[in-house]
Amino acid sequence: MRRIYLALLACMLLCIACEWHLKPNDGQSSGGIEVERYDRIQALYLTTGDRSALQQLNTLYPQQTRMLIENVLEIGQVNDPQINHKFYRFYQDSVLQVIVAEVERQYDDVSDLGKELTAAFREVQKLLPDMMIPMVYTQIGALNQSIIVGDSTLGISLDKYLGADYELYSHFYSEKQRQQMTRSMIVPDCIGFYILSHYPFAEGDTLPTLRHQHMGKIQWVVNKVTHKRTFNNNYVKVVDQYMSKYPRTTVPELLERPDSLGF
């Protein structure tokens, strides 16, 4: 009976994979951001070892697969003859298998993220018109980086956003960290890290205070484009006071200023 169940499950997953191959996104279709569901094909391969799913990862998403394997997981190079086996075995850890299942349960539908990202990036382009809207995709990053910014791509590690009360998180993260690991933080994090990739820390800014000040500027912009006060720390408050005092300051001017705005 167990063999019959496993065979039926594999067949169902294979059928779903075919559907994903035809439509591997789950966002907006009328000019908005479509969230590419890399995680679904990834989960199929990592739970069943399905070779057609692996082929899709490598042919449809070569850049994303390279970044995941080499930069996020750091388990080797994609041209390593054994890398597919290493990739599969890495996720066979019992904790990671539970996380993969939970990601697919919580994020069966991500259309809300597509809508929110579309609205937020449209606001970003009003303030930063030279900034291109990236291709957005979801993945399962094995509790490594939350947001992965590539060459015109933006990856979301859904396993880092399973909720502050997700039981497994309590073994790895502090309560303060868990408060940021929620679905509501995905869009602010995406906008923040994407802006940071275009306006990075100034060369030589190794002091934590200087980095916090720069992040305060970026977080202020995130609040502005999302119309929410997601970030409300002292650094953001100083930027808010500065921009109220000098309303003609553009966002590029703010982000490029080398001074600390009176911090």
Side-chain angles (χ1 to χ4, degrees), residues 64-81:
Q64 291 82 348
T65 300
R66 176 183 291 275
M67 291 181 64
L68 176 61
I69 289 174
E70 297 183 357
N71 304 121
V72 178
L73 304 179
E74 297 183 339
I75 57 175
Q77 304 296 311
V78 292
N79 56 2
D80 179 353

Side-chain angles (χ1 to χ4, degrees), residues 112-129:
D112 59 316
L113 299 181
K115 294 175 182 177
E116 291 178 31
L117 285 166
T118 297
F121 269 107
R122 283 175 177 166
E123 293 297 313
V124 169
Q125 286 198 311
K126 293 178 183 178
L127 302 175
L128 299 164

Side-chain angles (χ1 to χ4, degrees), residues 108-251:
D108 177 61
D109 180 10
V110 297
S111 57
D112 59 316
L113 299 181
K115 294 175 182 177
E116 291 178 31
L117 285 166
T118 297
F121 269 107
R122 283 175 177 166
E123 293 297 313
V124 169
Q125 286 198 311
K126 293 178 183 178
L127 302 175
L128 299 164
D130 293 333
M131 189 171 292
M132 300 296 293
I133 295 180
M135 185 277 270
V136 181
Y137 66 98
T138 50
Q139 67 172 21
I140 302 169
L143 299 182
N144 284 289
Q145 302 172 37
S146 302
I147 304 296
I148 301 89
V149 181
D151 182 16
S152 72
T153 63
L154 189 63
I156 305 167
S157 292
L158 295 177
D159 51 300
K160 293 294 291 290
Y161 297 98
L162 296 177
D165 297 326
Y166 184 53
E167 196 276 332
L168 281 177
Y169 282 168
S170 63
H171 301 289
F172 308 105
Y173 302 101
S174 67
E175 182 178 355
K176 184 177 181 180
Q177 290 174 315
R178 296 198 300 272
Q179 295 303 315
Q180 306 300 311
M181 302 173 71
T182 64
R183 191 181 188 117
S184 63
M185 286 301 300
I186 291 179
V187 173
D189 281 352
C190 282
I191 301 299
F193 281 108
Y194 195 65
I195 293 176
L196 179 61
S197 72
H198 288 77
Y199 293 90
F201 299 112
E203 187 175 350
D205 278 1
T206 58
L207 294 176
T209 301
L210 294 177
R211 289 176 172 258
H212 289 324
Q213 291 171 2
H214 186 66
M215 284 305 302
K217 299 176 184 179
I218 291 175
Q219 290 172 345
W220 181 88
V221 177
V222 173
N223 287 349
K224 186 174 181 65
V225 301
T226 59
H227 306 289
K228 298 177 182 178
R229 293 195 65 84
T230 302
F231 303 105
N232 196 32
N233 53 63
N234 290 333
Y235 298 102
V236 173
K237 291 177 181 178
V238 169
V239 178
D240 196 43
Q241 293 170 1
Y242 178 87
M243 295 300 283
S244 296
K245 186 176 181 180
Y246 302 102
R248 293 187 178 182
T249 303
T250 66
V251 169

Side-chain angles (χ1 to χ4, degrees), residues 1-15:
M1 179 63 72
R2 176 176 172 81
R3 290 181 179 177
I4 295 175
Y5 172 78
L6 291 175
L8 289 173
L9 176 61
C11 183
M12 289 171 61
L13 289 172
L14 182 58
C15 291

